[in-house]
Amino acid sequence: MRELPFVEAEYRARSGRVRDEMGRRGVDVLFVMSPANICYLTGFESVWYPPRAPLGVVVSRSDDRLVFLDYERHETLVRR
């Protein structure tokens, strides 16, 4: 299993800064689909991002958890 480039606390801090900005702008839920921004928030990278699938990360201003949306068959990859 590949190591993440940053410790988990760094990713939590990043999503916290996103939530802070969401609050400043009055955004309750954000759906992040850009591969670069998905990587920024989670460390997840893929060699291929399906153009028609709703792959992304849901950020809720009221919840510290991120919800990752992807194909069910990629569940193992996302958990790592």
Side-chain angles (χ1 to χ4, degrees), residues 18-19 21-31 58-63:
V18 169
R19 283 186 188 86
E21 185 63 21
M22 289 169 63
R24 193 178 76 71
R25 295 180 184 215
V27 175
D28 293 324
V29 177
L30 181 68
F31 184 47
V58 178
V59 182
S60 172
R61 188 169 62 167
S62 63
D63 193 336

Side-chain angles (χ1 to χ4, degrees), residues 8-64:
E8 185 177 333
E10 171 63 24
Y11 293 104
R12 289 188 184 278
R14 291 175 181 190
S15 63
R17 290 190 297 271
V18 169
R19 283 186 188 86
D20 290 345
E21 185 63 21
M22 289 169 63
R24 193 178 76 71
R25 295 180 184 215
V27 175
D28 293 324
V29 177
L30 181 68
F31 184 47
V32 179
M33 296 178 70
S34 161
N37 291 323
I38 292 170
C39 184
Y40 175 82
L41 287 172
T42 67
F44 179 82
E45 290 182 290
S46 179
V47 295
W48 180 73
Y49 292 87
R52 291 182 222 164
L55 182 131
V57 174
V58 178
V59 182
S60 172
R61 188 169 62 167
S62 63
D63 193 336
D64 288 342

